[in-house]
Amino acid sequence: MSVLLSNSYSLMQVSSDFLLKPTFLRGFSGTLHLVLLIVLFLSWVFKKLRADGNEVAKRSVRNNGFLYYKQTLFCCLGFSIFNFAICFLNHFYWYRNGWSEEKIATLLDSVLRTLAWLALSVYLHSQFLNPSERRYPFVVRVWWGFFLSISCYCLVIDFVYYKRYQILQIQYLVSDVVSTVMGLFYCYVGYASKVDGEDTLLQEPLLNGNIRESKQSNRGEKTLTPYSNASLFSILTFSWMGPLIAVGYKKTLDLEDVPQLASVDSVEGAFPILRDKLESDSGSSSRVTTLGLVKALIFTTWKEILLTASLALVYTLASYVGPFLIDTFVQYLNGHREFDNEGYLLVLAFFVAKLVECLAQRHWFFRLQQVGIRARAALVALIYNKGLTLSCQSKQGHTSGEIINFMTVDAERIGDFSGYMHDPWLVLVEVALALVILYKNLGLASIAAFVATVLVMLANVPLGSLQEKYQDKLMKSKDTRMKATSEMLRNMRILKLQGWEMKFLSKIVALRETETGWLRKYVCTSAMTTFVFWGAPTFIAVATFGTSMIMGIPLESGKILSALATFRILQEPIYNLPDTISMIAQTKVSLDRLASFFRLDDLQPDVVEKLARGSSDIAIEIVDGRFSWDIASPNPTLKEINIKVSHGMRVAVCGTVGSGKSSFLSCILGEMPKLSGNVKLSGTKAYVAQSPWIQSGKIVDNILFGKEMDKERYDRVLEACSLKKDLEILSFGDQTVIGERGINLSGGQKQRIQIARALYQDADIYLFDDPFSAVDAHTGSHLFKVMKDGRITQAGKYDDILKSGSDFIKLVGAHKEALSALDSIDAGTREDKGVVSVTNAAQKEEARNDVNGKEDDIIGPKGQLVQEEEREKGKVGFSVYWKYITTAYGGALVPFILLAQVLFQLLQIGSNYWMAWATPVSKDVAPPVGGSTLIIVYVALAIGSSFCILGRALLLVTAGYKTATLLFNRMHLCIFRAPMSFFDATPSGRILNRASTDQSAVDLNIPFHVAAFAFSIIQLLGIIGVMSLVTWQVFLVFVPVIGICIWLQQYYIPSARELARLVGVCEAPVIQHLAETISGSTTIRSFDQASRFRDTSMKLIDGYSRPKFNTAGAMEWLCFRLDMLSSFTFAFSLVFLISIPVGTIDPSIAGLAVTYGLNLNMLQAWVIWTLCNMENEIISVERILQYTAIPSEPPLVIESNRPECHWPLHGEIDICNLQVRYAPHMPLVLRGLTCTFGGGTKTGIVGRTGSGKSTLIQTLFRIVEPAAGHIVIDGINISSIGLHDLRSRLSIIPQDPTMFEGTVRSNLDPLEEYSDEQIWEVLDKCQLGDEVRKKEGKLDSTVTENGENWSMGQRQLVCLGRVLLKKSRVLVLDEATASVDTATDNMIQQTLRQHFTDSTVVTIAHRITSVLDSDMVLLLDHGLVEEYDSPSKLLENKSSSFARLVAEYSVRSNSSFENLANI
């Protein structure tokens, strides 16, 4: 029995020992993992066999039912990588020390673990895509239970083994501890029930396809960014960005996918703080200083600034841990070890420092971008508010183009400066830390390093001042160019009608040449700065090592490598220092510009005293009013103004052109500076400007103008303004989107919409500035005010003033003279006036005579005329990169730039390798070479690398400058040669965005971003090359890590790309809204709508900030993960180095590998980061290239078919079967029109809205090309000659009188074809001679933007002057007298009759009297000729459409005079 028990005990002991042996444990673990692999494979095969179309379709929808899905997937993948690392280390270690049964079992276990967990990661990912699964698969959960059990068992055995044999195998312990922790986590997520409410915002955006589409269509508009309520872990790891990146990976992101900003980041949170701080410090906006603006900006974001400063300091301290420990690490590799496990402790110190460095840097960068977004949003809101309150005098000094530049360039630059904010003081900290390390290693030689660093920084002073100077000049020249571009885009129709577009393009190109002159100087200065500072670390190293040699300080490889690592870290702030100083210079310029803008005078708040509604019977009262547009002028614009208007009165203000009528209304509105007197207003007011201001958007929104919809009132207003007929014609009715400045509406329609807007407001006081210039509507007046030279010369009732003679009778006489042409009409027709409603007559006449033909442009499959801005989607094509790099010199400079960088990298590595190899490891080892040889070779290599950098910098800026210039010229040529339909459908904000923001990126940023990517690739290859000399086995880790990095980049880039595009697309509405607000600020203020417009602006600003904020978050999401992977790779290489036996690797060369490895994590991330950044930035090139592919108009000149110089000689216009449509898919507007305008005849064209009048004129000038038929002028088919030859031989006086910024001479003769004598003669003919002679500069007197310092009537007379100079045989009048009084109208008609007796004159008639003396009248109806005969013959036939039209006009006009006389 005892023997049996003894044997049994022995057997149990053997069995127990066997169960404790690692061979059994690892074998059993490997077997379990092999089983898992087989099960997963069979499961996959089974599912594949069962798969059908429905399941495949479901793959596009993600399941959000799993608990901690992403963390689980990440842990599975991470655990697979961990096991691979263990396998690799064990293999290498045992390969050198021999194999055993235990080692083979352990190695197989590691291999199987690696494969099993990788397979499980793939399996879980596929399960997550299946919406039918709500929990982790049963097999997986069972496996996790087994895995936790065996992990715990192995961990217990490790300690039992240690207690029994006093042996603790570290690789088993680490593996089992990690496995146990993982097992606990997996069991928790596998068996814990799903938390209520887990289906939260973090998972919600992952839904895609048609699932919940209706509920989530506007989720971005309604949901708040996950960042606002994210957990600490989510914030630290940027996991809150995961859902948006996941959505972007599955579909193209749109703005509605992007969540709203938290209140603290939105403009509503930041703007009030900035505004209040500025007001409290400055007292008022007129006293804002640059310093005050800086203080207010800092106050707005002070918490984030302090936090980022702390993070920057932590990052800096952590980054110097590596250089500090390198010498110790080299000595350890050389066999000098202070204590047990010193190597592991060193690896841990390196690794922890890297983790801290990564976390601190990522959050430092993100928070700084957050600061920039807030600052930019607050500044843009401030600029907008300022633009809304600017006085007219201030506006004349700063045009809309300049103000747009404040928003797009200056505010943007100040926002971007946040990234450079801490660099100046960080440089000092980094230099101090570097000196501490250098002093530790090299003693007093560190003083030489300090002196060299100071010298390098001092060398920047002159370069910095030059950059600031050039930047200032560059911005001013850009302002001038943008101002001119903005004006030309607004008036492109006039330029094309007159054939001036190429002349004005040459002006833009000339302005750009001035700008590029400063740009060239700026980028060359940048190149010199780059040369100085890229060479700086090498210069510092030479100075330090040279001093060490002179002082006899021994140079050991460990100390050298520590110094080189220090210089390499110091290199980054020194590299960035030129950018920092340049950015400081640019930002200071921008701050100065903004501060000076904020100091501009606002409208005087006390001009008008507003009385409470109903508190007085007097609506308007002005006592002893003196007003002037220019306060400094000795002659006030208005003087001795005394007027009292009671509620209910109708007052007409009369006067000749330039007498001050519009100024009089401006003083009532409070728009005009008051010199003295009192202005009182009681009640609400509405204003209709002389020049219609229409906001881009729907017609209904323009009429409601912020008011709630009252359907009954709305319909009454439409009826009263004769808009119902127009809305019936338009495809979308009142939902039709109006183009910029109402470009797809006629003059009459724009004016009637303005009037409807005013009427809908139900105001107490209505102020109309020549509201019927394009709309002859019936009106009566109780009281007339007659203006002359800025004074009220007569006031009283109509009949009283008429009896007193003088000025008023001249005006009325002119109108009666015009009506006398109607006397030939049969009296019986006049008697019909009782039958015809006066109001209806006005409406019918207006409907007949209103000009359009453009409405049809918006009919058709594409729908609205103005579409959402198109943006490219998907990956930026390689063609964009190729076009960019081959634009300058066919890409010939690119190989030389890359060669210079490769040589620089080789020389840098060579110099560092030389220093590591040529210096002894310790004092007791003899150096391989002498001290002088050491320094001479190092200096030679350093000089060579510096010249490579100089060559690279100069070639790069040359290529970048040339590319920017060529792209600019190509884009602007295509824009100016684009057909008019392009400008009708494209808001100018989109074009200006490309000419400003995108062009700035091409000028200053993109060359350096593209180069940075190429250079970082070369640097990465260099580091890998160095490390491969020492530890080629690290490639086994590099390959999977780089694979994961590429996968992460591919996963991230779709979202980042679309977010960057959204940033570009969302900026245009902000610009456009500002431009519209500036042009319509008087109307906005008069309706008391300023607050609504501010709210809209804030919404648009936040719409721009949202994708910008998420772009920053997405970038840091990627960089954090890349940094983590790189840190693990670096730690692995360190573990490898400490695991190999002493003497296997040269410690100096190993130390060199570590020195480079310290930068590996940064450089791996840097490659991906520069790639992403380049793709984000290259979108600007993509957007510019879009506009270099705009379809062009036909040629300007056809050399083989040029008309003779005196063509057209007679001016006969023969129109045959003319058919015109605005686009191939749209219906015909002119449907086979045939007629002939005899040479030298006067023809008037009349017709209803949409009858095709304007289309006919546009076809005559080939603004629109005919679909069939032709127009022949004096025997030449106009389609057979060049556009310039055609348009330059025809003349037109357009409906909207246009003047350009410049001089009187340049406005009359932009092509510089006429002498001063001819210009003076013409000015006298159009009665402007005396007015111009009064001005100080005579013909060179200034004309401000849009001719704002000239009245509307004077501008029309200038247009008359242009055609008088041209003396064409064919003249077109497009409602040319709509903006002048009747007397001036008569003068214009008389001048035209006198000087164009032999010319063919075609008039689109508005006032019937203007066509009554025509030789022929053409009446169009729906694109066909309804009537075409002489006026007398048409009037003889009482049933003709023209006779009825004249009768209605006569009835209304006589009725008006009778009514006025009876008042």
Side-chain angles (χ1 to χ4, degrees):
M1 178 64 77
S2 62
V3 173
L4 183 62
L5 287 172
S6 176
N7 288 338
S8 176
Y9 177 75
S10 300
L11 188 64
M12 287 177 64
Q13 190 173 21
V14 170
S15 175
S16 174
D17 288 344
F18 177 74
L19 292 175
L20 290 176
K21 283 186 177 180
T23 306
F24 167 76
L25 292 174
R26 305 305 154 186
F28 183 64
S29 170
T31 305
L32 280 177
H33 282 87
L34 181 61
V35 170
L36 175 64
L37 265 175
I38 294 169
V39 169
L40 291 178
F41 176 74
L42 292 174
S43 174
W44 177 76
V45 170
F46 181 67
K47 286 205 170 188
K48 277 290 180 186
L49 293 174
R50 287 184 56 200
D52 57 21
N54 291 333
E55 288 191 37
V56 172
K58 290 176 186 175
R59 291 294 172 116
S60 63
V61 185
R62 291 199 162 209
N63 177 17
N64 61 346
F66 294 150
L67 182 65
Y68 296 126
Y69 157 74
K70 288 190 176 180
Q71 291 86 340
T72 306
L73 189 62
F74 180 76
C75 286
C76 287
L77 197 59
F79 194 49
S80 175
I81 294 169
F82 170 77
N83 281 291
F84 174 76
I86 293 289
C87 172
F88 178 73
L89 286 171
N90 286 339
H91 171 268
F92 183 79
Y93 184 72
W94 291 331
Y95 179 79
R96 291 183 177 273
N97 294 283
W99 293 94
S100 67
E101 185 180 300
E102 175 188 326
K103 292 173 182 177
I104 292 171
T106 304
L107 198 66
L108 285 173
D109 179 37
S110 299
V111 170
L112 288 168
R113 280 172 176 247
T114 301
L115 294 174
W117 288 100
L118 184 63
L120 186 59
S121 303
V122 175
Y123 179 75
L124 285 177
H125 183 65
S126 65
Q127 288 295 314
F128 182 64
L129 293 173
N130 189 347
S132 62
E133 296 287 349
R134 304 304 296 173
R135 300 189 70 183
Y136 290 102
F138 176 74
V139 172
V140 174
R141 286 182 283 132
V142 169
W143 159 249
W144 282 340
F146 272 115
F147 177 70
L148 176 61
S149 302
I150 195 167
S151 298
C152 292
Y153 176 72
C154 289
L155 186 61
V156 170
I157 294 301
D158 288 336
F159 287 106
V160 171
Y161 205 78
Y162 174 71
K163 188 173 181 182
R164 179 174 295 184
Y165 301 108
Q166 299 299 309
I167 298 173
L168 183 62
Q169 294 177 302
I170 193 72
Q171 70 269 31
Y172 292 153
L173 181 63
V174 170
S175 175
D176 293 338
V177 167
V178 172
S179 297
T180 304
V181 172
M182 290 288 103
L184 287 168
F185 172 73
Y186 295 138
C187 286
Y188 169 72
V189 298
Y191 292 98
S193 59
K194 189 178 189 309
V195 180
D196 291 337
E198 186 67 27
D199 189 6
T200 64
L201 178 65
L202 284 176
Q203 284 79 32
E204 196 69 19
L206 294 173
L207 287 167
N208 199 353
N210 296 321
I211 305 298
R212 299 195 188 176
E213 187 173 355
S214 60
K215 293 182 182 178
Q216 300 214 4
S217 59
N218 292 317
R219 60 179 176 272
E221 299 292 335
K222 297 175 183 176
T223 58
L224 199 61
T225 173
Y227 176 73
S228 61
N229 54 9
S231 65
L232 179 62
F233 175 80
S234 181
I235 289 173
L236 285 176
T237 60
F238 296 94
S239 298
W240 55 270
M241 270 305 303
L244 186 62
I245 292 172
V247 173
Y249 183 67
K250 284 293 177 186
K251 66 180 277 284
T252 301
L253 282 181
D254 293 309
L255 188 59
E256 60 264 23
D257 297 311
V258 183
Q260 292 287 351
L261 297 174
S263 60
V264 69
D265 291 314
S266 71
V267 67
E268 289 181 0
F271 169 65
I273 301 171
L274 179 66
R275 180 196 58 205
D276 295 345
K277 183 63 178 174
L278 271 178
E279 289 177 357
S280 64
D281 287 354
S282 307
S284 70
S285 60
S286 60
R287 291 202 292 270
V288 172
T289 62
T290 304
L291 181 60
L293 183 58
V294 171
K295 285 166 63 179
L297 285 168
I298 291 172
F299 185 78
T300 306
T301 54
W302 67 271
K303 291 179 183 175
E304 284 69 26
I305 291 173
L306 285 179
L307 176 60
T308 51
S310 305
L311 290 169
L313 186 60
V314 169
Y315 163 78
T316 305
L317 292 169
S319 66
Y320 276 95
V321 170
F324 186 81
L325 294 176
I326 278 183
D327 186 27
T328 309
F329 192 77
V330 170
Q331 297 306 321
Y332 175 85
L333 294 179
N334 198 35
H336 300 153
R337 303 180 178 183
E338 302 291 333
F339 53 88
D340 291 339
N341 295 324
E342 181 187 2
Y344 289 106
L345 204 60
L346 281 171
V347 171
L348 185 64
F350 276 115
F351 182 62
V352 170
K354 277 293 169 190
L355 290 183
V356 172
E357 181 185 329
C358 163
L359 277 169
Q361 186 183 39
R362 298 278 61 90
H363 287 276
W364 166 30
F365 283 5
F366 175 69
R367 295 281 185 166
L368 281 182
Q369 290 185 76
Q370 209 175 354
V371 167
I373 289 167
R374 282 190 211 170
R376 183 205 166 277
L379 278 174
V380 169
L382 203 61
I383 292 166
Y384 180 87
N385 286 3
K386 187 69 179 181
L388 194 53
T389 59
L390 273 183
S391 67
C392 291
Q393 191 175 7
S394 298
K395 269 191 194 175
Q396 288 182 7
H398 287 77
T399 61
S400 58
E402 288 178 293
I403 298 172
I404 286 169
N405 252 11
F406 290 141
M407 177 183 283
T408 58
V409 179
D410 294 299
E412 195 74 43
R413 179 167 294 118
I414 292 166
D416 291 343
F417 175 73
S418 63
Y420 300 81
M421 185 186 302
H422 298 304
D423 287 4
W425 66 266
L426 268 182
V427 169
L428 301 176
V429 174
E430 287 170 321
V431 169
L433 288 172
L435 289 174
V436 169
I437 293 172
L438 290 173
Y439 184 78
K440 168 184 173 284
N441 291 318
L442 302 174
L444 292 175
S446 59
I447 296 172
F450 176 71
V451 172
T453 305
V454 171
L455 286 174
V456 165
M457 292 182 175
L458 288 176
N460 187 72
V461 174
L463 290 171
S465 61
L466 276 176
Q467 278 195 307
E468 182 175 1
K469 174 188 171 185
Y470 295 150
Q471 174 68 21
D472 189 29
K473 298 288 186 183
L474 180 63
M475 289 309 304
K476 285 180 179 174
S477 56
K478 186 188 288 289
D479 280 348
T480 308
R481 172 175 63 83
M482 288 305 300
K483 181 174 161 185
T485 305
S486 176
E487 183 177 47
M488 289 172 201
L489 290 175
R490 277 198 305 272
N491 300 299
M492 186 56 74
R493 187 177 295 275
I494 303 300
L495 298 184
K496 288 193 174 292
L497 288 169
Q498 301 283 8
W500 292 343
E501 67 266 42
M502 299 315 291
K503 177 66 178 179
F504 278 77
L505 174 60
S506 67
K507 290 183 178 181
I508 294 288
V509 171
L511 291 171
R512 171 66 179 178
E513 284 173 359
T514 304
E515 182 184 348
T516 51
W518 295 114
L519 177 64
R520 189 188 303 110
K521 292 177 181 177
Y522 179 81
V523 294
C524 286
T525 309
S526 297
M528 292 307 299
T529 309
T530 302
F531 164 65
V532 169
F533 285 97
W534 272 74
T538 309
F539 168 69
I540 296 169
V542 168
T544 307
F545 297 149
T547 305
S548 298
M549 293 296 296
I550 293 168
M551 297 177 68
I553 297 172
L555 292 176
E556 299 167 14
S557 58
K559 299 183 186 303
I560 289 285
L561 292 170
S562 179
L564 288 175
T566 303
F567 296 145
R568 187 174 288 278
I569 291 181
L570 193 59
Q571 192 175 15
E572 186 182 348
I574 291 181
Y575 282 177
N576 292 336
L577 196 57
D579 287 340
T580 304
I581 291 173
S582 168
M583 197 65 185
I584 290 171
Q586 294 178 38
T587 307
K588 183 179 182 302
V589 169
S590 292
L591 285 164
D592 289 340
R593 283 157 50 85
L594 287 181
S596 65
F597 173 65
F598 293 141
R599 284 197 298 271
L600 291 175
D601 291 334
D602 288 337
L603 286 170
Q604 295 176 359
D606 57 346
V607 170
V608 177
E609 182 185 344
K610 293 182 180 177
L611 305 176
R613 191 173 189 175
S615 62
S616 170
D617 292 335
I618 304 298
I620 303 169
E621 183 177 13
I622 303 177
V623 180
D624 298 331
R626 289 175 72 249
F627 305 87
S628 180
W629 290 116
D630 183 1
I631 297 175
S633 173
N635 298 316
T637 312
L638 297 175
K639 44 193 176 288
E640 301 171 21
I641 302 296
N642 287 279
I643 183 174
K644 190 178 289 186
V645 180
S646 301
H647 284 291
M649 289 180 70
R650 285 178 289 174
V651 179
V653 181
C654 306
T656 57
V657 170
S659 60
K661 304 184 296 296
S662 296
S663 297
F664 176 66
L665 289 188
S666 294
C667 78
I668 295 173
L669 289 168
E671 297 290 320
M672 194 173 183
K674 181 176 70 175
L675 303 178
S676 63
N678 293 308
V679 182
K680 294 180 181 178
L681 244 67
S682 174
T684 58
K685 59 189 182 299
Y687 169 66
V688 176
Q690 183 177 16
S691 184
W693 178 75
I694 302 294
Q695 203 180 356
S696 56
K698 295 177 183 176
I699 290 175
V700 63
D701 295 334
N702 268 277
I703 295 173
L704 298 182
F705 208 56
K707 289 269 188 178
E708 292 293 323
M709 169 63 84
D710 179 341
K711 190 62 180 169
E712 185 181 346
R713 177 173 184 77
Y714 181 72
D715 288 337
R716 288 205 311 270
V717 168
L718 293 182
E719 187 69 40
C721 297
S722 305
L723 279 169
K724 289 208 166 183
K725 189 76 173 176
D726 299 90
L727 297 182
E728 288 170 10
I729 293 171
L730 298 172
S731 303
F732 296 90
D734 63 1
Q735 298 299 309
T736 298
V737 175
I738 303 173
E740 193 174 18
R741 303 183 309 280
I743 203 159
N744 51 329
L745 298 175
S746 72
Q749 287 172 325
K750 284 189 277 190
Q751 197 68 286
R752 294 204 306 277
I753 287 172
Q754 271 213 126
I755 295 169
R757 176 169 62 207
L759 293 179
Y760 191 80
Q761 298 300 306
D762 194 20
D764 301 312
I765 302 166
Y766 288 92
L767 301 168
F768 294 88
D769 191 350
D770 199 8
F772 311 119
S773 58
V775 182
D776 282 327
H778 166 61
T779 186
S781 293
H782 284 105
L783 193 67
F784 277 86
K785 299 288 176 187
V786 180
M787 306 287 298
K788 185 177 181 182
D789 297 328
R791 285 189 175 87
I792 298 177
T793 55
Q794 291 175 281
K797 288 191 176 182
Y798 171 82
D799 208 31
D800 296 338
I801 307 177
L802 199 60
K803 290 174 183 175
S804 68
S806 185
D807 300 309
F808 184 57
I809 201 167
K810 291 179 188 175
L811 295 171
V812 176
H815 190 60
K816 286 194 172 181
E817 183 183 332
L819 289 174
S820 65
L822 298 171
D823 289 342
S824 60
I825 301 173
D826 184 72
T829 309
R830 291 174 182 252
E831 290 170 5
D832 292 339
K833 68 186 178 184
V835 181
V836 182
S837 161
V838 173
T839 306
N840 288 341
Q843 294 169 0
K844 287 178 184 175
E845 188 277 335
E846 182 204 328
R848 287 173 181 269
N849 287 279
D850 194 8
V851 179
N852 206 325
K854 302 175 193 169
E855 306 89 333
D856 302 293
D857 196 11
I858 58 173
I859 301 172
K862 193 152 183 178
Q864 301 282 14
L865 171 67
V866 180
Q867 300 292 316
E868 290 292 321
E869 182 171 4
E870 291 184 8
R871 59 182 171 108
E872 300 289 338
K873 294 189 177 181
K875 189 175 182 180
V876 177
F878 176 74
S879 61
V880 175
Y881 295 95
W882 185 251
K883 285 176 185 174
Y884 178 74
I885 63 176
T886 57
T887 296
Y889 311 108
L893 296 182
V894 175
F896 294 102
I897 294 170
L898 294 176
L899 179 62
Q901 177 65 21
V902 170
L903 288 174
F904 167 75
Q905 191 67 27
L906 289 174
L907 290 169
Q908 281 273 295
I909 292 171
S911 62
N912 293 339
Y913 190 90
W914 168 256
M915 293 300 289
W917 176 83
T919 51
V921 178
S922 59
K923 297 176 185 178
D924 52 357
V925 178
V929 297
S932 58
T933 307
L934 178 74
I935 294 299
I936 288 169
V937 173
Y938 187 71
V939 168
L941 292 170
I943 291 172
S945 67
S946 296
F947 276 110
C948 287
I949 282 301
L950 178 61
R952 189 205 78 184
L954 290 174
L955 287 172
L956 177 61
V957 298
T958 302
Y961 166 79
K962 184 68 174 177
T963 302
T965 303
L966 290 172
L967 285 177
F968 177 91
N969 291 339
R970 288 176 192 172
M971 178 176 73
H972 280 72
L973 178 62
C974 285
I975 289 171
F976 275 71
R977 290 286 293 117
M980 201 58 223
S981 57
F982 169 75
F983 299 96
D984 290 346
T986 307
S988 63
R990 294 181 192 171
I991 304 173
L992 291 173
N993 201 9
R994 284 167 172 81
S996 176
T997 307
D998 291 322
Q999 188 63 47
S1000 286
V1002 173
D1003 287 346
L1004 299 170
N1005 298 340
I1006 293 176
F1008 304 103
H1009 285 301
V1010 174
F1013 172 66
F1015 301 160
S1016 62
I1017 288 283
I1018 293 168
Q1019 285 179 287
L1020 180 61
L1021 292 174
I1023 287 184
I1024 291 174
V1026 170
M1027 296 189 75
S1028 66
L1029 290 174
V1030 181
T1031 54
W1032 63 265
Q1033 293 84 354
V1034 176
F1035 272 112
L1036 296 174
V1037 178
F1038 276 163
V1039 171
V1041 165
I1042 289 174
I1044 295 169
C1045 286
I1046 292 170
W1047 179 82
L1048 280 170
Q1049 186 264 342
Q1050 294 297 318
Y1051 183 68
Y1052 150 87
I1053 200 65
S1055 303
R1057 185 193 304 123
E1058 298 311 322
L1059 284 169
R1061 284 174 173 148
L1062 283 172
V1063 168
V1065 169
C1066 292
E1067 187 174 22
V1070 181
I1071 297 170
Q1072 188 181 339
H1073 186 65
L1074 173 65
E1076 281 188 342
T1077 299
I1078 292 167
S1079 62
S1081 56
T1082 301
T1083 301
I1084 294 167
R1085 287 190 294 263
S1086 65
F1087 282 85
D1088 296 323
Q1089 291 286 323
S1091 60
R1092 181 172 69 88
F1093 273 74
R1094 287 191 188 100
D1095 291 343
T1096 302
S1097 173
M1098 286 188 169
K1099 186 178 178 183
L1100 291 172
I1101 293 166
D1102 273 346
Y1104 173 68
S1105 296
R1106 278 160 57 198
K1108 211 167 177 65
F1109 175 86
N1110 284 281
T1111 297
M1115 179 66 79
E1116 300 309 325
W1117 177 93
L1118 175 69
C1119 288
F1120 173 78
R1121 281 149 182 77
L1122 296 180
D1123 280 358
M1124 286 289 108
L1125 286 170
S1126 300
S1127 298
F1128 280 111
T1129 306
F1130 178 58
F1132 177 84
S1133 63
L1134 292 180
V1135 170
F1136 170 78
L1137 286 173
I1138 65 169
S1139 301
I1140 58 177
V1142 176
T1144 307
I1145 295 177
D1146 182 349
S1148 300
I1149 305 304
L1152 179 66
V1154 175
T1155 303
Y1156 274 91
L1158 284 170
N1159 275 1
L1160 177 65
N1161 68 316
M1162 293 301 296
L1163 203 55
Q1164 271 188 300
W1166 181 246
V1167 169
I1168 303 297
W1169 189 87
T1170 51
L1171 172 62
C1172 300
N1173 209 24
M1174 177 180 69
E1175 184 153 310
N1176 290 346
E1177 288 284 347
I1178 206 74
I1179 288 167
S1180 289
V1181 175
E1182 182 184 58
R1183 284 160 57 81
I1184 287 175
L1185 289 174
Q1186 277 181 343
Y1187 276 23
T1188 61
I1190 304 167
S1192 177
E1193 284 188 306
L1196 292 171
V1197 173
I1198 300 174
E1199 292 294 343
S1200 61
N1201 194 19
R1202 298 203 67 176
E1204 296 178 3
C1205 58
H1206 54 267
W1207 179 87
L1209 187 60
H1210 304 292
E1212 180 176 303
I1213 303 173
D1214 185 24
I1215 303 170
C1216 180
N1217 190 33
L1218 188 65
Q1219 298 177 29
V1220 177
R1221 52 166 54 96
Y1222 282 96
H1225 60 270
M1226 291 183 178
L1228 290 170
V1229 181
L1230 298 180
R1231 300 182 295 153
L1233 191 148
T1234 300
C1235 62
T1236 301
F1237 302 155
T1241 60
K1242 311 291 184 288
T1243 304
I1245 303 177
V1246 293
R1248 291 181 180 278
T1249 296
S1251 61
K1253 303 186 300 296
S1254 281
T1255 303
L1256 177 58
I1257 298 305
Q1258 289 185 75
T1259 311
L1260 182 63
F1261 283 83
R1262 289 180 64 193
I1263 298 294
V1264 183
E1265 295 289 330
H1270 58 261
I1271 299 176
V1272 175
I1273 299 179
D1274 281 4
I1276 294 181
N1277 185 342
I1278 63 170
S1279 296
S1280 66
I1281 62 174
L1283 289 181
H1284 183 75
D1285 285 339
L1286 171 66
R1287 293 169 182 171
S1288 62
R1289 308 295 178 88
L1290 309 180
S1291 290
I1292 184 169
I1293 301 181
Q1295 180 178 355
D1296 296 320
T1298 303
M1299 290 180 75
F1300 300 92
E1301 186 173 11
T1303 63
V1304 174
R1305 179 189 281 104
S1306 67
N1307 267 278
L1308 283 167
D1309 180 26
L1311 302 185
E1312 300 171 3
E1313 296 175 333
Y1314 304 100
S1315 65
D1316 284 7
E1317 291 74 19
Q1318 290 172 301
I1319 294 173
W1320 279 117
E1321 183 185 345
V1322 161
L1323 285 171
D1324 289 330
K1325 284 178 183 175
C1326 59
Q1327 297 190 5
L1328 282 174
D1330 293 339
E1331 184 70 27
V1332 175
R1333 286 185 184 94
K1334 287 180 192 174
K1335 296 183 181 292
E1336 189 177 342
K1338 304 293 190 293
L1339 289 179
D1340 293 319
S1341 56
T1342 303
V1343 176
T1344 59
E1345 187 181 23
N1346 297 326
E1348 293 293 342
N1349 57 340
W1350 292 64
S1351 74
M1352 187 72 81
Q1354 288 172 328
R1355 283 180 245 168
Q1356 193 68 279
L1357 294 176
V1358 169
C1359 294
L1360 173 64
R1362 288 174 188 153
V1363 300
L1364 290 172
L1365 265 180
K1366 211 170 179 182
K1367 294 179 182 173
S1368 299
R1369 283 291 182 179
V1370 177
L1371 171 64
V1372 175
L1373 307 179
D1374 188 357
E1375 293 192 326
T1377 55
S1379 301
V1380 294
D1381 56 78
T1382 311
T1384 308
D1385 179 16
N1386 290 345
M1387 186 273 291
I1388 291 174
Q1389 298 293 345
Q1390 186 179 349
T1391 304
L1392 293 174
R1393 280 194 292 270
Q1394 181 180 346
H1395 296 285
F1396 289 90
T1397 51
D1398 299 328
S1399 299
T1400 303
V1401 180
V1402 179
T1403 305
I1404 292 184
H1406 180 68
R1407 295 182 170 114
I1408 294 299
T1409 54
S1410 61
V1411 296
L1412 288 177
D1413 64 345
S1414 300
D1415 300 318
M1416 301 290 283
V1417 170
L1418 174 66
L1419 196 149
L1420 296 179
D1421 183 42
H1422 292 96
L1424 293 170
V1425 177
E1426 185 176 345
E1427 295 175 356
Y1428 183 47
D1429 211 332
S1430 66
S1432 56
K1433 287 186 179 178
L1434 290 173
L1435 289 172
E1436 285 173 6
N1437 180 6
K1438 300 297 186 294
S1439 63
S1440 73
S1441 299
F1442 183 69
R1444 291 201 301 272
L1445 188 64
V1446 172
E1448 290 167 3
Y1449 185 86
S1450 173
V1451 167
R1452 176 166 50 81
S1453 299
N1454 282 288
S1455 174
S1456 298
F1457 272 99
E1458 289 169 13
N1459 289 340
L1460 289 171
N1462 292 331
I1463 291 172

